[in-house]
Amino acid sequence: QKSALEKPFRILLLDQRGTGRSTPVTCAKLQQIGNAQAQAEYLSHFRSDNIVRDCEIIRKLICSQVVDDDDEKEKISLLGQSFGGFCILSYLSLAPHALERCLLTCGLAPIGQPIDHVYTAT
């Protein structure tokens, strides 16, 4: 009987910007930043597009350590729950070439609306 874990996998659990062991966004932190405009600018760095860019840096670093000519070794698989699923949709838009498979365990964001509309509504 074969196990799914017989194939070598590396699992990376990401605390995206502002959560977990990343620097948390708190009211006290926002008050230190200053006025509403400065706070909005600071919070713009926590959007899913920036989280995808962070993941791409990590993916390229990890994949560069694999000595193999197989293009599939350059790809990663993602599992996303809730906001993580939303980030996967952003990843599919920004860097689809980097993804082998995507697993979503949540509802999907509305289709047909620009991302700024989604951010404005939430």
Side-chain angles (χ1 to χ4, degrees):
Q1 181 176 352
K2 289 189 173 186
S3 167
L5 296 179
E6 286 180 18
K7 191 175 181 180
F9 283 97
R10 285 184 248 178
I11 298 174
L12 172 68
L13 301 174
L14 174 70
D15 287 335
Q16 72 262 12
R17 296 176 181 204
T19 67
R21 290 185 170 176
S22 172
T23 303
V25 177
T26 63
C27 290
K29 176 67 176 171
L30 290 176
Q31 288 173 351
Q32 291 173 357
I33 292 172
N35 64 26
Q37 182 64 36
Q39 292 173 4
E41 172 62 26
Y42 176 75
L43 291 172
S44 73
H45 298 284
F46 296 86
R47 292 171 42 148
S48 64
D49 55 343
N50 287 318
I51 293 167
V52 169
R53 288 182 186 96
D54 292 345
C55 290
E56 267 297 276
I57 291 168
I58 294 167
R59 180 191 68 82
K60 288 175 182 176
L61 177 66
I62 290 171
C63 290
S64 72
Q65 296 171 4
V66 176
V67 180
D68 198 327
D69 291 332
D70 184 2
D71 287 341
E72 293 300 309
K73 299 285 185 190
E74 298 288 319
K75 296 183 178 188
I76 59 173
S77 298
L78 300 175
L79 169 64
Q81 165 64 33
S82 189
F83 182 66
F86 182 73
C87 289
I88 287 176
L89 295 178
S90 296
Y91 216 128
L92 285 166
S93 295
L94 296 171
H97 62 279
L99 303 174
E100 181 177 354
R101 71 179 58 87
C102 298
L103 307 164
L104 301 169
T105 61
C106 60
L108 295 175
I111 297 174
Q113 297 291 328
I115 193 66
D116 289 331
H117 176 76
V118 174
Y119 284 121
T120 302
T122 57

